[in-house]
Amino acid sequence: KGGNVSVKWDGAPAVFAGTDPTDGKFFVAKKGIFNKNPMVYKTAKEVDADTKGDLAKKLKLALKHFPELGIQGVIQGDFVFGPGDVKTQKIKGNSYVTFHPNTIVYAVPTGTPAAKEITSAKIGVVWHTEYKGSSFETMRASYNYDASRLKKSRNVWSQDAQLSDATQATMTADETKEVNDQLSLAGRTFNKIAGSALRELENNDTLSAHIETHG
């Protein structure tokens, strides 16, 4: 029987959103969420005080519209488009809606339901990780987040990293088990890494960029 395959989207930058467990208020954040003194934004003024340019625009739109998704807890994703990022262009004679969040250009045929959702949205994000815990420092991650749990919003093109039932067409049951075993091993190994070590890696721009590219 078929299973699920996780797709590595090439989005950037990372965004966190959800409820601050310490005060119950909605927030958005970048990677500083796991610092000793977590950097989270609960107002547009706080975003402007710490960021600028394109990132500030995306974070303020996220702060305004992500609550429409009914996010439970804390989730992490990657921005894939924001204001001015979605374009319509011809590729080999065919018309596509395109966006280019990082190194890969994504193209969706114009006139399709997906293209209409993308062009009407103010911001796009792909979710992949969920966090649970009583504080940011103690939160544990779980992967393969299911975005179908979220409410629909015409302002947010919101997806997850799952390619449903792809294994039915491309992998045998034995192959699927082998992949799942390896992913489980990787997950167990990751959970053994101390939070302090992860924060050290995060603060090394060269290394974190390399891991993001090949992870």
Side-chain angles (χ1 to χ4, degrees):
K1 191 174 180 178
N4 292 330
V5 173
S6 179
V7 180
K8 178 66 169 73
W9 281 77
D10 189 41
V15 60
F16 298 77
T19 302
D20 185 335
T22 65
D23 62 13
K25 293 182 179 180
F26 187 85
F27 74 91
V28 296
K30 50 186 182 178
K31 289 185 177 181
I33 184 176
F34 295 124
N35 291 346
K36 186 174 182 179
N37 296 310
M39 178 62 71
V40 300
Y41 312 115
K42 298 171 184 175
T43 67
K45 185 176 180 179
E46 290 175 342
V47 173
D48 286 330
D50 189 56
T51 65
K52 59 183 179 180
D54 182 66
L55 177 58
K57 291 179 183 178
K58 285 185 170 72
L59 288 171
K60 285 189 287 187
L61 280 171
L63 188 61
K64 180 178 180 180
H65 295 297
F66 281 0
E68 298 165 12
L69 301 176
I71 296 170
Q72 299 294 315
V74 176
I75 57 177
Q76 176 188 356
D78 296 300
F79 286 120
V80 289
F81 64 80
D85 293 337
V86 176
K87 307 181 186 305
T88 300
Q89 63 184 98
K90 292 280 188 180
I91 301 175
K92 295 184 178 180
N94 296 312
S95 180
Y96 293 87
V97 170
T98 65
F99 48 96
H100 189 182
N102 198 4
T103 59
I104 296 174
V105 177
Y106 294 93
V108 178
T110 56
T112 62
K116 292 177 182 177
E117 290 176 1
I118 290 167
T119 54
S120 67
K122 294 180 174 64
I123 196 166
V125 62
V126 173
W127 304 106
H128 51 73
T129 307
E130 180 177 23
Y131 296 87
K132 294 182 179 180
S134 58
S135 69
F136 291 125
E137 283 195 319
T138 61
M139 281 185 172
R140 305 281 298 214
S142 58
Y143 305 98
N144 301 327
Y145 181 76
D146 181 5
S148 68
R149 297 159 54 184
L150 300 174
K151 297 177 181 178
K152 293 291 185 181
S153 167
R154 68 189 307 268
N155 295 306
V156 183
W157 186 75
S158 183
Q159 303 289 314
D160 57 40
Q162 298 302 303
L163 183 61
S164 299
D165 293 326
T167 52
Q168 189 170 8
T170 61
M171 298 170 66
T172 66
D174 287 342
E175 289 169 337
T176 301
K177 182 179 184 304
E178 175 65 21
V179 170
N180 286 336
D181 287 346
Q182 293 299 322
L183 290 174
S184 295
L185 176 60
R188 290 194 297 271
T189 302
F190 181 82
N191 284 331
K192 293 178 181 178
I193 302 174
S196 58
L198 292 175
R199 285 187 280 274
E200 286 295 326
L201 290 174
E202 186 177 82
N203 291 329
N204 186 317
D205 292 339
T206 301
L207 186 56
S208 62
H210 182 77
I211 291 172
E212 179 69 20
T213 300
H214 299 284

